[in-house]
Amino acid sequence: MTPVPRPSLLERLRDPSERLLGALLLAPTFALLALIVAYPIGKLVWNSLFDLRLSGGGVPKFIGLENYQLVFTDPDFWNATKNTLLITVVTVPGALLVGLGLALLANLPFKRRWPVRLALLLPWALPLSFAGLIFAWFFHTEYGIVNDVLQRLGLADRTDPTMWLLKPGWALAAVCLTIIWKTSSFMALILLAGLQMIPKSLYEAAEVDGATPWQQFWQVTLPMLMPSIVVALIFRTITALQTFDIPYTMTRGGPGQATQTLAMLIHAHTIDYLDMGYGSALAVCLFVLSLVVSAVYLRQVGRQAA
Amino acid sequence: MAEVLLRQVRKSYDGRTPVLHGIDLEVRHGEFTVFVGPSGCGKSTLLRSIAGLETIDSGEICIGGRPVQHLPPRLRDIAMVFQDYALYPHKTLFENMAFGLRLRKTPEAEIQRRVGEAADLLKITHLLQRKPAALSGGQRQRVAIGRAIVRQPQVFLFDEPLSNLDAQLRQEMRSEIKRLHQRLGATIIYVTHDQVEAMTLADRIAVLRGGHVMQYDRPQQIYHQPAADFVAGFIGSPPMNLADVARVPGATPALDFGGLAWPVPAALQPALAAAPAAARLRLGVRPEHLHLQRSQADDIAWPGTLQLLEPLGAETLATVRIGQAELVARVPASFEAAPGTALQLHVQPAQLHLFDADSGHAWHATPSSNPHAES
Amino acid sequence: MAEVLLRQVRKSYDGRTPVLHGIDLEVRHGEFTVFVGPSGCGKSTLLRSIAGLETIDSGEICIGGRPVQHLPPRLRDIAMVFQDYALYPHKTLFENMAFGLRLRKTPEAEIQRRVGEAADLLKITHLLQRKPAALSGGQRQRVAIGRAIVRQPQVFLFDEPLSNLDAQLRQEMRSEIKRLHQRLGATIIYVTHDQVEAMTLADRIAVLRGGHVMQYDRPQQIYHQPAADFVAGFIGSPPMNLADVARVPGATPALDFGGLAWPVPAALQPALAAAPAAARLRLGVRPEHLHLQRSQADDIAWPGTLQLLEPLGAETLATVRIGQAELVARVPASFEAAPGTALQLHVQPAQLHLFDADSGHAWHATPSSNPHAES
Amino acid sequence: MSATLHTPGMPGAGWLSGPALRWVAAGLVVFNGFFPALWILLTSLKSEAELVRKPLQYFPDKLTLANYLQAFTDQPLGLYLANSAAVALASTALSLLVSAMAAYAIARLNLRWRQTALTCIVASSMFPLVTLLVPIFETMRSLGLLNTYTALVLPYTVLNLPVCTLVLVSFFQSIPRDLENAAMIDGCTRLGALVRIVVPLAAPGVFTAGILAFVNAWDEFLLALSLNASAQMRTVPVGIALYQGEYSFPWPVISAALIVAIVPMAVLIALFQERVVGGLTQGGLKG
Amino acid sequence: QATTATKLRVFSGGQNQRPDLVRKLLDQYQARNPGVTVEIETGGATSELQRQYLSTVLNAKDSAIDIYMIDIVNPAQYFGAGWLEPLDAYVGPAAEVFKPYLPVYAQSNVVDGKVAALPAFADAMFLYYRKDLLEKHKLPEPKTWDELAATARKVQAAEAAAGNANLQGLSLQGAPIEGAVCTFLLPYWGQGKEFNDAAGKLTLDKPAAVKGLSTWLGMVDQGVVKKNVAEVRTPDTVNEFKAGQVLFAINWGFAWDRFKDDADSQVKGKVGVLPLPAMAGGRSATCVGGWQWAVSAFSKHKAEAAKLVKHLASPESSKMLAVEGSLLPTYQRIYTDADVVRQAPWFNDAAAVVVAGKSRPMSRDYGQVSDILRTTTSAVLARTKTPTEGVDEIENRLRRLMR
Ligand SMILES: Nc1ncnc2c1ncn2[C@@H]1O[C@H](COP(=O)(O)OP(=O)(O)OP(=O)(O)O)[C@@H](O)[C@H]1O
Ligand SMILES: Nc1ncnc2c1ncn2[C@@H]1O[C@H](COP(=O)(O)OP(=O)(O)OP(=O)(O)O)[C@@H](O)[C@H]1O
Ligand SMILES: [Mg+2]
Ligand SMILES: [Mg+2]
């Protein structure tokens, strides 16, 4: 048998090994991640160890963990943490419920589907900052449509209108409501996709087994939707912990600090007060909170899958 | 009494193209009926109409003497086994099987007993705590059947339950379903497009085509006296050879395969006489009735050339060109010859079938005994 | 010369569990070789290793005398037909078939000619401007084959090309592939788990199991002289009956089906003698060799009870219990009896096979002529 | 749909399948989605004086398009729109390119660390953007990219990497491997097969991912505000936020600008809504 | 030869800082200094947004912009951060330079004895009122907040009887915007108290602060100020006053033109301007605003930039801004300039107000100080905190800030 020469170098370059090809394909992604995520994070952690206040004349002063010490004695931090968690705890299930409702409704066999689909997608496509602006206008004491409708329905007093955005409880409620409206849309989208993946024959089997539509919902739809729900929840929770745009445009964190979230506090310290060191320490704390919450979720999910 | 009666069942999905054209069928109590037919002929639609998963446009469906066409599936007292099993992925096998009973508020002890019995019968007791994802195809199929059994319904409906299994498993499950039927004595309606399944399982077979029942009869009857060329060509493996033939004008009745004319034997003459003179004719003969040697004195002999040999082990399929026609013959495994070899095929005249090439209708010596064939 | 040579081909996906355990095979030029075996036995892995879609861990693969194990698929000069056709959904049939040629910068006129010829051969000329989605399964299969043909490769590889077709179409395409092979005279390696395909198509069959070649031989040889009980149980439809038997101690050699002992006829005694005294034994007999009536004087007769009848039309499968064993016999279509009926099965001693129940090894009168069987 | 007595297979909503109830359901969804847009549409047609009239007036006395005119003259809204479009399109294209490469490697190649890679990519979405703002700003400054499209395109691309990669991974996984194998046997290299066969077939997935990315990029506010504050480079959300001045809060004009900014997105979505939902379905959007 | 090809970049605030007029000034300068080209960049429309933008840019030591127009509250902060180039070397010592300017600007633009910036134009809070209504009800102009409240109630009652129930007595800014800092300071200063001493140290008099905030709440209770005052922003006041729904309004100087000139103004010719009232026993004080020109410490053309700033801050430029844009001059003498007075007669009255004005606390952490003051003020006005709680909170936060 004649020995056959192995392919030329050029030929071999055209057929890179899986590992080389993988490295080449993943390189741009990781370069970007390094530039826009990894390096900034490192920088952030580094900054959190310094006093970078402008009153220091712009000279960084290494102070170790002092910033963190300050964070934990800062009532604003605890207040913002409380608000952030409250918003998370309210809006995540809220958006899930509303989103599920919307998804179920949108999944009905309409003859003309596009108005429904468009209505489902519109809040998602609306920038968060717009949503905040618009809803702030809705909730305005005098010119807001919310009070106007309540008054027209006789549910509120015309002379003493509710000052939605000026009372801590109401303001937080209004912010949560806006977030739920805005985020339930993407929720619904994911759930709708999940709904459409449930095999029709499962419903038929359940129907033959004797399940009423209501029972089918609980016994087939909901359990089959679980993976989508989990994805949506994780996704939503992570973004809820980062809530910024809506309270920022609606209330500026007010009245007082009643609707200030962690992200807003970080923004205030870094951008408004230019206290980079302290702001960085706050940011690191938000990271840790995000990580803890995600880890708890993922463990929960892992347990469910097992 | 769990007989199923269909009267003039009509159905169309879009309100224009009918999918079922007025089906009449009667499935007796305890009978195993198989709906067979090519893809898209309406088998599933018919079965699902019986189950109540599709509403019918008109007609009547009676189960156990009770008209059910207006009832939802859960009130029809039927159980169904789906092609893709449709097991609830999030429930254990036990819960899958118990689901129907729980919905009916059956006492827990009774549920335990019935599921246990069914699991024993299907040999899946050791799997009861698993979820469907952890099962093989055959095991899933068993669970799907088990889920139907525990409900003890009046009628079992199966929609191509074996089509997702591989050949060996299919054969095994087929025997098992047959034995199950023997043991339970239940009324079963079973849809398949596999004619072997139909032949081996059925008490009676309904052959469907384009929303019509072509023939509804016992398997042997369907095999040996197909009411139409479609039935003949669909049933049997390999199926009946069908070849267009032309009448040869002349004194003695003769037929022509296209380049090869042969006198019509006496046994076939009455059938030929039944066909109008203008009808185009199609001849049918089963592969096992074509022999390489003359076996009886009145055999017809057709000269031809060998095209292809396909050894199956126990026997061999020989494709032989006769005139313009290609006929497949079952020949002994020992037969070997090169393609192109000239040979003769012998057939008993009584084994020949004659069909109307246009309508597919079978011409018999006696007036047709088959009310289902469409003209 | 397009022979394919495999030498000690080894492969594992995860670096730990071997999937191919050192395969040696030689496919001659122009030969039609079929790899057959149960799911997961490594057929596809072997075929894909030949194609270059999987890298092998060690061993050598030569195509036309050239070692190719280091070459990417496009340099191996092969064509492959995939189970799910793998037609490019976004290209017309013409472009699907022309793609390989275009990549090789074949002149346009040549492309037109070759695609046209292949399309003619496969009778898909009228479809050439369609996209794959607009085709039926059989048509897609044809295009997939056409795509392989136009390339005029040294070797054709088929991976279960018919398994997605329905029974009738499968049968048709099977004949067509066989004819195609006769016409092209190409070297073909064909993977299937359908033993009927293997029997009818192959010049030689390689039976695989768990990454080993169990037997590599001509179909008739494999059918009539299986090297192992596995091969016997895999080939044939229905497959060979296999029943555990025990030696009955005593002066005259006798075997026992479990409650039913019978003297060993002279024809089987050399094989029995070849087996060590301690070996557990398994008896094999093909269904077509079991008869209801005595046909020859030296037939053995086993009394049993009928369990199940499965009419196939041309004949009927009867499952009969003999002692602890269940044997399937092919009986005439005319046979009818109720389950439970007592009857006798007759068999020619020469048709019996004897296997080692542990290793699966066949015991022959003469020393084993089968080098592939594993011990 | 044919008239049915009960709808088999309707996800738990047989009771909602009567035509009347279906109308109610559609009405609910449509109202929920459209009412804010509707309200600002009405507002955009009013004069500022009508706005503070009490009790609230729902419909303007006489329709005026003056606010729209003003929206374009007060601020260079057309420029903002063009900036937004440029940034969103460029970052969408880049996200798609980069994430398609990564997704292919993760979905198809036999790499030991591919799960880790995916986890890294997805985990990058857990870092709140606001916290990274300053370091990102400094990075862009040191690269001399402030007030350029690139300054936004790069972070937006990263922002969209996780979701695009996820969608594309599941899409690539849904494309039969044998198609690629067939191409390689037909004579393609691996990359050739990727470009000629896989990418065209993943088009619906690419499309879905593209729309998700585009919407995200179009909507982003904080980075756009901080990195591209110069008037020439502002995007629409920032531009609109800047309509409110120290001394003025021209709601009708802002509303008009909002409508102008929303309409392109609404049209985009209306045109491709089946693709978005269908793409998510097909892609499975598994975690 | 350096001047032959110099390109300068000027950040000139937002729309309210009239980039159109700035452009004119620059064109003048370019005409006189061939070889110098100046580009304009505009930023956020509110002083907060501008501060946000500037602090990101400056914090990043960006050299792209040479000259900044900054709010009066910022020089201390920016100079302290080392972001601004001391101008002494280019324009002379602070004591000399600031002589012709209004005194308040010397206070805010001189940091650590160095010239941090030069004033561009001034602004201040005024009390606008409905001349016609006071005349109609024959009431005098109020001098103190209590008088104002009493006057307002009388007019409101009379107008309500006449069918105009919606008339507000006083409109002021309670939303957490920069204006709310003034809302906090006005009644505090009005009692003669100072927020910080000359050295910039904070001297918060808590009882006075509580009293100041309580004054507003008292007016809310009396119905003089509307209940949702914590929602009111600067433009709300303008719009409502324009619509004829307000009797007295506290607002910046720009509002004058709006009341006078806007097409939809219902109050043309019915508006008067007053100095802000004092607290009983105190003296009137207003909140001064305004914009300054500063040279970036990171500029690559500092000398040229300083030269341009000198031009921009010249009396000539100030007069031009006053004549063409009604922007309040920073030079005392321009208030009485004939051309100016012809164009904006009310500048005569305004001069007194501006001279009596105070600047907001000049802190290096002004951003945070402002934030503390306005959010707390707004929260108190929204009645989510009592004035005492609010002032305690202000003190605590400020102390934390001074760590
Ligand atoms: N849900 C549906 N909507 C519209 N048409 C349908 C629907 N289901 C089936 N059909 C049409 O009705 C006809 C009969 O379909 P059916 O599923 O009953 O065939 P089948 O005999 O079961 O075929 P197969 O063997 O492929 O399952 C076909 O032409 C099919 O296209
Ligand atoms: N990509 C893969 N990675 C890991 N293991 C694999 C892979 N492909 C196949 N295997 C394993 O290798 C063994 C042989 O697989 P192969 O696909 O060759 O079997 P096969 O004989 O073709 O089966 P089938 O008839 O089901 O196609 C199986 O155990 C299978 O699980
Ligand atoms: Mg069907
Ligand atoms: Mg395989």
Side-chain angles (χ1 to χ4, degrees), chain B residues 31-370:
Chain B
E31 197 174 42
F32 197 131
T33 286
V34 173
F35 295 167
V36 74
S39 189
C41 68
K43 308 178 294 291
S44 297
T45 306
L46 186 54
L47 193 77
R48 294 161 53 82
S49 302
I50 296 172
L53 296 173
E54 305 287 353
T55 47
I56 58 175
D57 298 343
S58 67
E60 198 179 26
I61 300 174
C62 297
I63 296 178
R66 194 170 55 122
V68 297
Q69 64 271 27
H70 294 300
L71 297 180
R74 64 176 187 283
L75 302 179
R76 294 194 182 190
D77 201 5
I78 44 132
M80 185 154 169
V81 176
F82 294 84
Q83 182 170 5
D84 57 358
Y85 319 135
L87 299 180
Y88 310 121
H90 53 289
K91 293 182 192 282
T92 63
L93 297 204
F94 184 92
E95 285 307 324
N96 260 284
M97 290 165 73
F99 185 55
L101 299 177
R102 291 210 193 285
L103 291 172
R104 283 175 176 73
K105 308 248 182 311
T106 316
E108 185 59 34
E110 175 80 1
I111 293 180
Q112 293 281 352
R113 190 181 59 73
R114 284 216 229 165
V115 173
E117 274 177 5
D120 277 351
L121 195 63
L122 297 161
K123 306 193 195 77
I124 46 174
T125 310
H126 58 296
L127 304 172
L128 282 180
Q129 290 319 312
R130 293 212 198 151
K131 295 217 172 145
L135 298 187
S136 72
Q139 290 169 333
R140 286 182 210 188
Q141 189 51 66
R142 265 170 242 254
V143 180
I145 295 175
R147 183 168 65 177
I149 291 177
V150 295
R151 292 253 322 279
Q152 302 180 348
Q154 290 204 56
V155 179
F156 287 90
L157 306 176
F158 288 78
D159 193 355
E160 309 211 14
L162 305 184
S163 62
N164 286 347
L165 303 181
D166 70 27
Q168 247 174 321
L169 210 51
R170 191 147 63 221
Q171 207 154 318
E172 254 173 55
M173 287 301 300
R174 199 176 74 201
S175 317
E176 243 173 90
I177 291 176
K178 179 125 194 186
R179 284 176 213 223
L180 207 65
H181 176 239
Q182 287 176 359
R183 192 160 336 172
L184 300 175
T187 308
I188 294 183
I189 303 180
Y190 185 109
V191 161
T192 180
H193 57 243
D194 178 350
Q195 55 88 28
V196 176
E197 267 174 43
M199 287 295 291
T200 52
L201 286 173
D203 291 328
R204 280 203 290 173
I205 296 176
V207 182
L208 273 80
R209 181 193 194 185
H212 295 280
V213 176
M214 303 296 289
Q215 191 168 4
Y216 182 38
D217 216 331
R218 291 177 42 240
Q220 292 302 327
Q221 211 64 22
I222 296 228
Y223 191 83
H224 293 293
Q225 286 171 34
D229 61 351
F230 169 77
V231 176
F234 193 79
I235 301 285
S237 165
M240 185 182 280
N241 293 295
L242 293 170
D244 286 337
V245 289
R247 268 182 231 253
V248 181
T252 44
L255 292 172
D256 185 358
F257 272 130
L260 183 92
W262 45 279
V264 175
L268 201 58
Q269 284 184 10
L272 192 59
R280 298 197 304 114
L281 295 177
R282 184 163 291 159
L283 190 80
V285 56
R286 295 222 170 258
E288 65 269 25
H289 295 143
L290 291 170
H291 305 284
L292 294 172
Q293 267 82 37
R294 176 174 302 270
S295 60
Q296 277 177 279
D298 57 347
D299 274 5
I300 310 172
W302 291 318
T305 45
L306 183 64
Q307 298 291 109
L308 193 70
L309 273 188
E310 295 178 293
L312 296 174
E315 70 226 344
T316 295
L317 299 182
T319 308
V320 179
R321 169 172 290 269
I322 296 179
Q324 298 297 338
E326 278 199 349
L327 302 185
V328 174
R330 286 192 178 201
V331 301
S334 53
F335 176 75
E336 294 207 16
T341 312
L343 42 65
Q344 282 210 325
L345 287 182
H346 302 263
V347 65
Q348 262 291 301
Q351 309 290 14
L352 293 177
H353 300 256
L354 209 54
F355 303 94
D356 183 322
D358 296 306
S359 71
H361 193 302
W363 299 114
H364 294 277
T366 49
S368 171
S369 63
N370 153 42

Side-chain angles (χ1 to χ4, degrees), chain B residues 166, chain C residues 11-14 17-20 35-48 54 83 159-160 191-194 208 210-211, chain D residues 110 177:
Chain B
D166 70 27
Chain C
K11 161 90 191 168
S12 106
Y13 283 101
D14 54 5
T17 27
V19 171
L20 302 177
F35 295 166
V36 72
S39 188
C41 69
K43 308 180 294 291
S44 297
T45 306
L46 186 54
L47 194 76
R48 294 159 56 82
E54 304 287 353
Q83 180 171 6
D159 193 357
E160 311 211 14
V191 162
T192 180
H193 59 242
D194 178 348
L208 274 79
Chain D
N110 194 11
R177 250 169 212 262

Side-chain angles (χ1 to χ4, degrees), chain E residues 140-153:
Chain E
E141 295 163 352
K143 292 275 182 288
T144 68
W145 292 111
D146 292 339
E147 283 173 36
L148 182 144
T151 309
R153 267 186 306 158

Side-chain angles (χ1 to χ4, degrees), chain C residues 285-313:
Chain C
V285 56
R286 295 222 169 260
E288 65 267 28
H289 295 143
L290 291 170
H291 305 284
L292 294 171
Q293 267 83 38
R294 176 175 300 268
S295 60
Q296 278 178 279
D298 59 346
D299 275 6
I300 310 172
W302 292 318
T305 46
L306 182 66
Q307 298 290 109
L308 192 68
L309 274 188
E310 294 177 295
L312 295 175

Side-chain angles (χ1 to χ4, degrees), chain E residues 215-238:
Chain E
T215 308
W216 299 136
L217 290 180
M219 290 202 211
V220 173
D221 290 337
Q222 296 170 35
V224 172
V225 171
K226 65 177 176 179
K227 280 203 174 89
N228 63 328
V229 57
E231 226 168 344
V232 175
R233 298 154 181 265
T234 317
D236 297 325
T237 300
V238 174

